[in-house]
């Protein structure tokens, strides 16, 4: 929603209410951007909006420090796992692993 995380609670509330009123039922949080704030996930839960969270990644997984990536995954899952609106996690829509990565 906001890659620079400039939104305060009231602005998140106003925007997510607009999504709810427009009958949005799923929002994608792009993996090339960020993990949204607690305000975002709390309001999604409150309004019954589902969130699709991608893990932070890039187009070339071989250039990612795997240990750092997995630590980020762990900390994000631990922080966000209790949100009923967080429907699923995925590796990123543009992630195309090489044969070497698949064997990891």
């Amino acid at each position: 929603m906001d890659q620079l995380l400039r939104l305060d609670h009231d602005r998140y509330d106003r925007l997510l209410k607009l999504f709810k009123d427009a009958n949005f039922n799923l929002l994608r949080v792009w993996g090339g951007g960020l993990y949204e704030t607690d305000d975002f996930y709390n309001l999604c839960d409150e309004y019954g909006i589902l969130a699709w969270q991608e893990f932070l990644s890039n187009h070339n997984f071989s250039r990612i420090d795997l240990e750092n990536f997995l630590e980020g995954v762990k900390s994000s899952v631990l922080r966000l796992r209790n949100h009923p609106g967080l429907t699923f996690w995925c590796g990123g829509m543009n992630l195309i692993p090489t044969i070497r990565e698949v064997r990891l």
Side-chain angles (χ1 to χ4, degrees):
M1 220 161 142
D2 186 88
Q3 291 190 28
L4 300 176
L5 296 176
R6 296 176 299 215
L7 301 183
D8 61 17
H9 177 84
D10 292 337
R11 188 150 181 221
Y12 270 118
D13 186 47
R14 190 168 57 254
L15 289 170
L16 287 166
K17 182 152 182 3
L18 286 172
F19 293 148
K20 179 184 187 285
D21 292 345
N23 295 312
F24 279 57
N25 55 17
L26 177 67
L27 298 175
R28 173 182 169 223
V29 182
W30 177 55
L34 70 147
Y35 292 107
E36 275 289 358
T37 64
D38 290 331
D39 280 338
F40 171 83
Y41 292 103
N42 289 334
L43 288 164
C44 282
D45 295 343
E46 180 180 331
Y47 288 130
I49 297 172
L50 304 174
W52 159 359
Q53 176 65 60
E54 293 183 355
F55 292 116
L56 300 185
S57 60
N58 66 16
H59 295 287
N60 189 346
F61 199 70
S62 64
R63 294 186 184 173
I64 292 177
D65 177 334
L66 186 58
E67 186 176 329
N68 186 44
F69 173 76
L70 293 175
E71 185 58 37
V73 167
K74 180 181 176 182
S75 66
S76 298
V77 169
L78 290 174
R79 179 174 76 90
L80 300 171
R81 66 184 172 182
N82 293 321
H83 286 281
L86 185 50
T87 307
F88 61 95
W89 298 83
C90 76
M93 82 168 201
N94 298 319
L95 178 61
I96 305 170
T98 64
I99 295 300
R100 183 187 70 78
E101 292 153 357
V102 172
R103 292 181 184 154
L104 292 175

